[in-house]
Amino acid sequence: MDLDAFLPLLDPTADPRVLTRADAFARGYSRRAIDHRVATGRWRRVLPRTYLTVDTLTWRDRLDAALAFAGPQALLSGAAALADEELRSVRRPDQVLVVVPLSVAVHPHGWVRVRRTARMPERALLPGPRRVPMARAVADLALERRRLDDVRALVTEAVRRDLCTIEELMTELATGPRSGSAFLRQAIEEASGGAWSAPEARAATVLRRAGVPAFEPNARINLPDGRWFFVDFLWRELRAVLEIDSVEHHASPPDADNTSDKHLALETLGYSVVHRTPRFVTRQPRAFVTGIAAWLDARRAALSA
């Protein structure tokens, strides 16, 4: 635990870890006193008119400093707002994005990106540094990503983790910038169709565009003993199941065992279960579609025989 972060709570007179020049004046410091602390290394200037009063600049300090620098109306957005939500698709960014109203005359500096916007949202009612609502953060980050699969991963994970809803993302899409929004639009459409991951979304899109018979994405199958499984794609009348299995998922022995157990249980009940990897779907989409279509035809013929 970082006890320094709690010093202001234990001692209300203690200086906060991050403060602006205006904050220092309000606390009774003169210009000379501020300059002396910076010159002697007691404080460190991390952004214009923004100081760190401790030795180490942490991730939280960076966020607080960005907000302090950009002003009281600034809110974190994009990866900076999402990085601490434990999303596998988001890492802590090198540059912190803050959004401010058009009326705020502040400019980007160093590792702080400032976006002036006419669509200034209300602050999200979440603990920690001031942030935009999660749907806005997801949309802002999605618009910056240049690969469809990266946007798919972000959208599906955010929705699956209940950080935001499809409807909230659709509102952001409708009211946000049109330029660069094509990937976000497609990812939202795929997520609304039931995709739970980027590989599933990609596979579903390939199958639908090829005219493969309609399927249920992320369908639940109930077992006679009371257990149930979710499968990636189900053709219920054909009792046919397609699973998109990533190498990452099967790197864990328990995950691999669970997949094998599910496969055995479904096959025992008369389901035909086929597995494909995201790599195969991406690298050989035509072969993927052809194989699935032939498998479904064979399945239909076997059940009608």
Side-chain angles (χ1 to χ4, degrees), residues 80-135:
L82 296 167
D84 293 332
E85 296 299 325
E86 299 183 352
L87 297 174
R88 295 174 64 180
S89 57
V90 180
R91 296 181 179 179
R92 289 180 175 178
D94 294 329
Q95 294 188 320
V96 173
L97 173 64
V98 294
V99 295
V100 298
L102 291 176
S103 58
V104 175
V106 62
H107 301 285
H109 186 90
W111 42 269
V112 179
R113 298 167 53 211
V114 178
R115 180 176 299 164
R116 298 169 66 239
T117 177
R119 296 190 309 118
M120 192 66 193
E122 296 291 332
R123 175 182 178 176
L125 299 178
L126 296 169
R130 302 190 307 271
R131 293 182 280 174
V132 300
M134 292 292 95

Side-chain angles (χ1 to χ4, degrees), residues 2 34 40 48 51 65 70 93 122 135 226 233-234 246 256 262-263 304:
D2 184 0
I34 295 171
T40 57
Y51 308 97
E122 296 291 332
F233 300 99
L234 171 65
S246 66
K262 179 166 73 171
H263 183 114
S304 61

